[in-house]
């Protein structure tokens, strides 16, 4: 993240330093104070300017509803409530959520895309690539929420002694699936590809689970021997867990939505100690990147 000094920020915005200090005093411009000096994140200044852009009547775009779509996550659901943001949630998976964001049907979307890089490794920024490639999202912003642990959710005691996907394939364990377009299903697909296999090689439970907790319930009820979900989902259901990867779990939105009061309430909450405490209670979360802008178009 690039920071500007007071004089640099004033030049960048074509403002006098006196006017800039007035905005700082009124809390009307994004800034931070470090060792007595004001610093201005350049990306935040760009978003601040764009958020106030006036458009001719024919170009006005409908405001999206105060809803976060995309992927389900227990810590995110809790944060939406505790932050007082007034934001609701709509769980449909990363891909469908991104489609809704493109149609202006949600204010933000929780995403965790997965793909392989040219060397056959898990791509580190698959969600950034998904935003760049999405039509009509030239004004996208990706804000880090947390990093979280994904793995195999298993019955208590792990009766089949599954230690990874190779055991699932070799033993023909019944695998609970997620619907296509979810980040968890993308993760399973790419991990299978790396192992030289595909979902056709699995003994699948045909009815897909809508969310990670739904999948965990299928395993707890004995309908499946395993499935891919978060450590937090496994713990909440009283199930065993074999870790596979740590992933980025982010919030994507349009630049004009970033400064909306509801979204700002949530983003401010991401720096609070309560979030870190709750993440530790749920287990399987790393909240250290929370609130960082990972990408801005």
């Amino acid at each position: 993240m690039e920071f500007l000094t007071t004089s640099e920020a004033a030049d960048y915005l074509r403002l006098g330093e006196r006017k800039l200090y007035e905005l700082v005093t009124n809390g009307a411009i994004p800034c931070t104070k470090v060792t007595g000096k004001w610093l201005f994140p350049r990306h935040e200044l760009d978003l601040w300017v764009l958020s106030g852009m006036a458009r001719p009547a024919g170009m006005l775009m409908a405001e999206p509803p105060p809803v976060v779509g995309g992927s389900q996550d227990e810590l995110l659901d809790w944060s939406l409530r505790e932050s007082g943001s007034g934001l609701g949630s709509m769980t449909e998976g990363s891909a469908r959520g991104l489609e809704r964001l493109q149609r202006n049907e949600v204010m933000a979307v929780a995403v965790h895309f997965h793909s392989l890089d040219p060397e056959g490794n898990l791509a580190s920024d698959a969600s950034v690539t998904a935003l760049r490639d999405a039509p009509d999202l030239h004004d996208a912003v990706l804000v880090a929420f947390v990093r979280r642990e994904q793995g195999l959710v298993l019955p208590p005691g792990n009766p089949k002694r599954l230690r990874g996907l190779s055991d699932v394939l070799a033993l023909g364990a019944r695998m609970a699936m997620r619907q296509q377009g979810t980040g968890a299903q993308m993760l399973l697909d790419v991990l299978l590809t790396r192992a030289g296999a595909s979902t056709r090689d699995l003994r699948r439970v045909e009815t897909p689970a809508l969310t990670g907790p739904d999948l965990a319930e299928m395993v707890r009820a004995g309908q499946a021997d395993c499935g891919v979900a978060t450590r937090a989902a496994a713990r909440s259901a009283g199930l065993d867990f074999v870790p596979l990867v740590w992933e980025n779990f982010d919030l994507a939105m349009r630049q004009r939505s970033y400064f909306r009061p509801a979204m700002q309430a949530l983003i401010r909450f991401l720096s609070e100690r309560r979030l870190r405490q709750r993440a530790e209670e749920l287990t399987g979360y790393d909240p250290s990147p929370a609130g960082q802008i990972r990408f801005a178009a």
Side-chain angles (χ1 to χ4, degrees):
M1 185 176 292
E2 181 183 359
F3 289 91
L4 304 179
T5 64
T6 301
S7 60
E8 290 171 338
D11 289 342
Y12 185 61
L13 296 171
R14 308 292 197 272
L15 296 174
E17 289 192 31
R18 182 174 179 179
K19 180 60 178 179
L20 188 64
Y21 276 121
E22 180 184 326
L23 292 169
V24 170
T25 301
N26 293 332
I29 191 169
C31 57
T32 183
K33 200 170 191 179
V34 179
T35 63
K37 295 183 179 180
W38 288 107
L39 295 176
F40 302 81
R42 185 167 179 165
H43 270 319
E44 298 270 359
L45 293 180
D46 292 340
L47 297 175
W48 178 72
V49 171
L50 289 169
S51 70
M53 184 178 292
R55 295 180 176 87
M59 292 183 62
L60 288 177
M61 300 179 69
E63 287 298 314
V67 172
V68 176
S71 183
Q72 185 275 339
D73 181 78
E74 187 171 349
L75 183 60
L76 176 59
D77 291 342
W78 177 85
S79 298
L80 293 177
R81 297 191 302 269
E82 293 296 313
S83 64
S85 66
L87 292 165
S89 62
M90 179 186 296
T91 299
E92 293 183 301
S94 296
R96 290 185 181 178
L98 192 58
E99 291 169 2
R100 285 195 181 274
L101 184 65
Q102 292 174 70
R103 296 194 297 266
N104 219 32
E105 295 173 352
V106 293
M107 184 173 287
V109 56
V111 295
H112 58 122
F113 285 93
H114 291 281
S115 63
L116 294 176
D117 63 21
E119 287 73 40
N121 301 312
L122 278 173
S124 60
D125 270 323
S127 293
V128 171
T129 301
L131 283 191
R132 283 179 173 153
D133 293 344
D136 303 322
L137 278 183
H138 58 278
D139 56 346
V141 180
L142 192 68
V143 179
F145 182 63
V146 290
R147 286 179 57 77
R148 63 181 194 175
E149 201 171 13
Q150 289 268 19
L152 290 178
V153 176
L154 306 162
N158 189 5
K160 291 188 176 294
R161 300 293 183 264
L162 302 175
R163 295 164 296 179
L165 282 179
S166 58
D167 289 341
V168 174
L169 291 163
L171 298 175
R174 293 172 302 161
M175 186 85 168
M177 308 295 287
R178 295 288 307 282
Q179 72 271 32
Q180 289 299 316
T182 61
Q185 189 60 38
M186 294 180 206
L187 175 60
L188 176 59
D189 288 342
V190 298
L191 292 177
L192 286 169
T193 299
R194 287 181 60 186
S198 72
T199 54
R200 293 189 299 273
D201 299 306
L202 294 171
R203 185 183 170 196
R204 293 169 290 174
V205 176
E206 291 302 328
T207 303
L210 178 62
T211 68
D214 292 338
L215 183 144
E217 178 57 29
M218 291 174 67
V219 174
R220 193 187 69 80
Q223 299 171 13
D225 298 316
C226 60
V228 173
T230 63
R231 181 182 289 275
R235 183 178 183 275
S236 294
L239 301 175
D240 279 19
F241 183 81
V242 172
L244 295 175
V245 299
W246 281 87
E247 65 175 8
N248 292 317
F249 189 75
D250 303 314
L251 297 172
M253 65 201 74
R254 294 183 182 275
Q255 292 177 3
R256 65 178 182 273
S257 296
Y258 180 85
F259 282 102
R260 294 293 182 261
M263 191 57 62
Q264 280 294 296
L266 176 61
I267 290 172
R268 284 194 299 270
F269 183 77
L270 300 186
S271 64
E272 292 192 12
R273 184 179 179 184
R274 283 191 296 159
L275 178 77
R276 298 191 295 274
Q277 290 175 331
R278 184 60 176 162
E280 185 175 350
E281 292 170 1
L282 292 173
T283 71
Y285 290 105
D286 172 15
S288 58
Q292 296 176 10
I293 295 178
R294 297 216 307 116
F295 168 76

